[in-house]
Amino acid sequence: WNVHAAPALLPQRNPVAQPRGAPWPAAACTDARRHGAVLAMATIVKETPLRSFVKAAGWRFTAGVVTAASSFIFTGSLATAASIVGWDLFSKSGTMFIGERLWNNVKWGKSKSGDSSQRSLAKALAWRLFAALNTLFAATVLTKGKAGVAGKIAGSDSVVKTVLFFFYERVWAVVAWGKYDEEEPEPEAEPETKAD
């Protein structure tokens, strides 16, 4: 039997009913790659929960000092300043940690060398929006409705802490501790097809 003379008579493999362990035809593998079934591995830099906790705790201490100073300057009361700082510590410690864990799953702005400056700026602005509203509410309540004073505290905090948080993130971006590489499957790009 000349197999080259009559290819149509040869038994054909059915890719759907392929026996376990049997090799796939080259054409089927090419088609699978074209549809993303064969995956390449991409390395993503992630952070451990302990690193996120230490970052959150370090920032809360730094932010607490700034809030204490601005609150005392605009209220003239150590008791009121301490109350506002206490509120910030209670309400923002957990949310800061949660925010760090959420950002850990965002791939944008990450690289092997660390976070990009654009990513640090985005994190600073996103956190500041939440934190400013939180401080404004606390200061209004704790100063017994003095919205003008509360606005000054929240406003000064926003300016100073946005700048501080950006540089805080830039420092942590070069700290290798608590970072690890994780491989995730990434579909191969489909080959370009030329129009006839």
Side-chain angles (χ1 to χ4, degrees):
W1 188 326
N2 185 352
V3 295
H4 298 289
L9 299 178
L10 292 175
Q12 300 296 315
R13 289 188 184 273
N14 182 0
V16 177
Q18 186 71 11
R20 184 182 297 273
W24 282 87
C29 290
T30 301
D31 186 66
R33 289 191 185 95
R34 186 175 294 115
H35 290 85
V38 178
L39 302 176
M41 300 304 291
T43 301
I44 305 297
V45 179
K46 291 198 171 184
E47 300 180 357
T48 63
L50 181 58
R51 177 186 169 96
S52 297
F53 174 79
V54 172
K55 282 181 69 176
W59 175 249
R60 275 281 36 92
F61 173 79
T62 305
V65 172
V66 174
T67 300
S70 62
S71 298
F72 179 72
I73 289 171
F74 292 114
T75 65
S77 169
L78 283 175
T80 302
S83 298
I84 295 174
V85 172
W87 170 274
D88 271 14
L89 181 64
F90 175 78
S91 63
K92 295 178 183 176
S93 296
T95 51
M96 178 73 178
F97 175 78
I98 293 171
E100 282 295 312
R101 299 313 297 160
L102 292 175
W103 273 101
N104 188 49
N105 294 318
V106 177
K107 299 176 184 177
W108 173 76
K110 284 185 176 182
S111 67
K112 291 290 290 182
S113 58
D115 291 356
S116 67
S117 56
Q118 291 85 354
R119 179 183 172 91
S120 296
L121 179 60
K123 289 180 69 174
L125 294 176
W127 173 252
R128 186 47 33 208
L129 177 62
F130 164 79
L133 294 174
N134 185 293
T135 301
L136 179 62
F137 173 79
T140 301
V141 172
L142 295 172
T143 57
K144 299 179 180 180
K146 296 179 180 178
V149 174
K152 291 178 181 179
I153 295 171
S156 60
D157 268 18
S158 295
V159 174
V160 175
K161 290 181 183 177
T162 298
V163 176
L164 279 179
F165 191 85
F166 174 78
F167 287 106
Y168 185 80
E169 281 291 312
R170 298 314 299 151
V171 170
W172 273 99
V174 298
V175 176
W177 174 79
K179 291 182 179 179
Y180 64 95
D181 293 340
E182 182 175 284
E183 290 189 342
E184 294 184 357
E186 184 177 61
E188 291 184 351
E190 293 188 5
E192 295 182 0
T193 56
K194 295 183 179 180
D196 293 336

